[in-house]
């Protein structure tokens, strides 16, 4: 009986190890997917911010020209 119990425990541990391995792989995959989505979002935000910075620079230039005309 004791050997059977020990065998059962060993099989249970093997099952748990397999489940943990599957869980780790799932977590790693989801982490990679999340990282990819963050990179994509960051890239899009960076593109938008650079566009806005360019527009602000253009508006500053135009404002300076208007102010120069008004000062003349």
């Amino acid at each position: 009986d004791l050997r059977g119990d020990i065998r059962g425990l060993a099989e249970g541990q093997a099952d748990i190890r397999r489940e943990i391995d599957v869980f780790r792989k799932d977590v790693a995959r989801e982490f990679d997917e999340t990282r990819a989505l963050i990179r994509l979002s960051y890239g899009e935000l960076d593109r938008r911010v650079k566009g806005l910075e360019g527009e602000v620079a253009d508006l500053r230039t135009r404002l300076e020209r208007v102010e120069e005309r008004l000062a003349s």
Side-chain angles (χ1 to χ4, degrees), residues 9-33:
L9 286 172
E11 290 172 1
Q13 277 188 326
D15 290 342
I16 290 171
R17 285 187 183 135
R18 281 190 291 274
E19 288 179 28
I20 289 172
D21 287 342
V22 169
F23 176 75
R24 284 182 179 162
K25 289 175 185 176
D26 288 344
V27 169
R29 180 184 45 79
E30 288 179 20
F31 180 78
D32 290 343
E33 290 173 3

Side-chain angles (χ1 to χ4, degrees), residues 41-68:
S41 296
Y42 177 81
E44 177 64 18
L45 286 172
D46 187 54
R47 183 188 66 76
R48 291 175 65 186
V49 167
K50 286 180 180 178
L52 289 171
E53 288 172 340
E55 289 180 32
V56 167
D58 291 344
L59 289 171
R60 282 186 180 145
T61 301
R62 291 173 63 187
L63 179 60
E64 288 171 1
R65 286 188 204 144
V66 168
E67 289 174 342
E68 286 173 3

Side-chain angles (χ1 to χ4, degrees), residues 34-44:
T34 301
R35 184 184 296 172
L37 289 171
I38 289 170
R39 282 188 183 138
L40 180 64
S41 296
Y42 177 81
E44 177 64 18

